[in-house]
């Protein structure tokens, strides 16, 4: 593999996700969050009509949410809501929650521990992520995309609103019968923050723009095939998950690979 175009250390994490589809539902979902995070959640709610449990709490400087229904369990790591709002103008939303490499290490360690204990009947597994690079301007953001995308001709000076999504499946090295989905969505984002000159917005009250932030955005959705009807080998689930994560890191560092 050549030297990275953009090292993983340059990326920030906006979302990390593990999704597991089960052949048979877990008999007890009350301890899912605890089994994953080795602590108790701050919120635990069960919607009996929908058959869904939602658990939520802080984990590794971010917010961890577990959504468990009969056939599916999702673990979502996202930015934590600010607990203390300082006086003064509003700030930008917490779009990222730390260096992607560091947060991936923390999340993946917990995932491997949970997978080793809790998934004897896994039909399908998926790793999702939203990674972002803070940049100074739209032109700088599209300059990154011009180097990362092989199938798209990007003019960094004039391109706007580019959204490129592609699946580049890859044969699994753990299980030769599996072709792993490698879905990437590339774009550039601009966030703007506004405030008003008065205490409350309304007609005639001028709106002031505080500033803006620009990001290169990579959304990843890597998974085993949806068509599979037999459970994955229990001994292979962790290794397959590691493959899905490695593919995401390879794409973040080297762009759209064949």
């Amino acid at each position: 593999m050549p030297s990275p175009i953009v090292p993983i250390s340059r990326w920030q994490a906006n979302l990390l996700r593990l999704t597991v589809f089960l052949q048979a539902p877990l008999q007890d979902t009350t301890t899912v969050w605890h089994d994953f995070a080795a602590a108790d959640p701050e919120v635990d709610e069960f919607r009996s009509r929908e058959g869904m449990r939602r658990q939520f709490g802080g984990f590794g400087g971010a917010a961890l949410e577990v959504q468990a229904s009969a056939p599916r369990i999702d673990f979502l790591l996202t930015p934590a809501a600010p607990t203390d709002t300082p006086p003064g103008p509003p700030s930008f939303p917490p779009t990222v929650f730390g260096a992607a490499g560091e947060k991936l290490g923390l999340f993946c360690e917990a995932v491997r521990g949970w997978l080793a204990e809790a998934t004897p009947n896994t039909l399908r597994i998926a790793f999702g992520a939203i990674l972002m690079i803070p940049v100074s301007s739209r032109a700088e953001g599209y300059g990154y995309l011009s180097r990362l995308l092989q199938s798209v001709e990007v003019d960094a000076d004039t391109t706007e609103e580019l959204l490129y999504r592609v699946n580049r499946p890859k044969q699994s090295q753990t299980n030769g019968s599996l072709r792993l989905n490698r879905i990437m969505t590339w774009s550039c984002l601009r966030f703007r923050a506004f405030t008003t000159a008065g205490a409350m917005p309304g007609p005639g009250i001028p709106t002031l723009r505080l500033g803006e932030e620009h990001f290169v955005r990579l959304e990843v959705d890597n998974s085993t095939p949806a068509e599979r009807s037999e459970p994955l080998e229990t001994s292979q689930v962790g290794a397959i998950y590691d493959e899905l994560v490695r593919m995401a890191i390879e794409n973040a560092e080297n762009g759209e690979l064949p």
Side-chain angles (χ1 to χ4, degrees):
M1 186 70 68
S3 298
I5 298 172
V6 183
I8 191 64
S9 59
R10 183 76 177 85
W11 291 89
Q12 299 284 306
N14 170 262
L15 177 144
L16 300 176
R17 171 177 57 84
L18 164 69
T19 299
V20 178
F21 294 88
L22 303 174
Q23 187 178 47
L26 292 178
Q27 295 301 310
D28 182 11
T29 59
T30 58
T31 65
V32 174
W33 204 97
H34 183 278
D35 293 342
F36 185 93
D40 291 325
E42 299 168 21
V43 174
D44 182 3
E45 61 180 29
F46 182 70
R47 304 172 186 171
S48 57
R49 182 173 298 180
E50 303 169 25
M52 195 227 267
R53 181 176 298 278
R54 176 181 176 270
Q55 298 177 316
F56 180 88
F59 178 77
L64 175 66
E65 180 173 350
V66 175
Q67 300 173 359
S69 60
R72 172 174 176 161
I73 304 176
D74 288 284
F75 297 84
L76 306 166
L77 195 65
T78 58
T83 55
D84 297 312
T85 303
S91 61
F92 289 102
T95 54
V96 295
F97 59 89
E102 175 189 343
K103 298 303 179 182
L104 271 169
L106 177 73
F107 187 69
C108 292
E109 182 179 359
V111 167
R112 293 187 196 100
W114 188 84
L115 288 175
E117 300 293 332
T119 53
N121 60 344
T122 300
L123 284 175
R124 189 182 185 206
I125 187 169
F127 169 73
I130 297 176
L131 308 179
M132 304 173 79
I133 303 174
V135 292
S136 61
S137 66
R138 176 193 57 77
E140 184 185 4
Y142 280 100
Y144 273 97
L145 292 184
S146 68
R147 289 181 285 149
L148 290 165
L149 300 183
Q150 297 181 2
S151 302
V152 180
E153 185 174 344
V154 180
D155 183 339
D157 294 324
T158 62
T159 301
E160 294 186 19
E161 300 186 32
L162 183 148
L163 181 67
Y164 178 61
R165 178 181 173 89
V166 65
N167 186 9
R168 299 274 190 186
K170 185 177 181 180
Q171 204 72 27
S172 171
Q173 297 177 355
T174 302
N175 184 329
S177 66
L178 294 178
R179 275 174 63 81
L180 305 176
N181 292 308
R182 184 170 45 156
I183 300 175
M184 301 159 272
T185 305
W186 301 85
S187 61
C188 282
L189 298 180
R190 176 176 62 183
F191 291 98
R192 288 179 172 176
F194 295 90
T195 189
T196 58
M200 296 291 290
I205 302 297
T207 299
L208 306 176
R209 193 174 82 183
L210 297 177
E212 60 184 26
E213 292 182 347
H214 298 264
F215 296 90
V216 177
R217 184 180 188 270
L218 168 61
E219 181 175 353
V220 172
D221 188 6
N222 295 343
S223 66
T224 56
E227 301 80 14
R228 188 179 178 89
S229 58
E230 294 296 323
L232 298 167
E233 291 287 340
T234 302
S235 60
Q236 295 182 349
V237 172
I240 292 171
Y241 171 80
D242 287 343
E243 282 192 80
L244 299 176
V245 175
R246 279 199 304 273
M247 291 193 304
I249 294 173
E250 288 173 359
N251 288 127
E253 291 196 323
N254 297 286
E256 177 198 3
L257 296 173

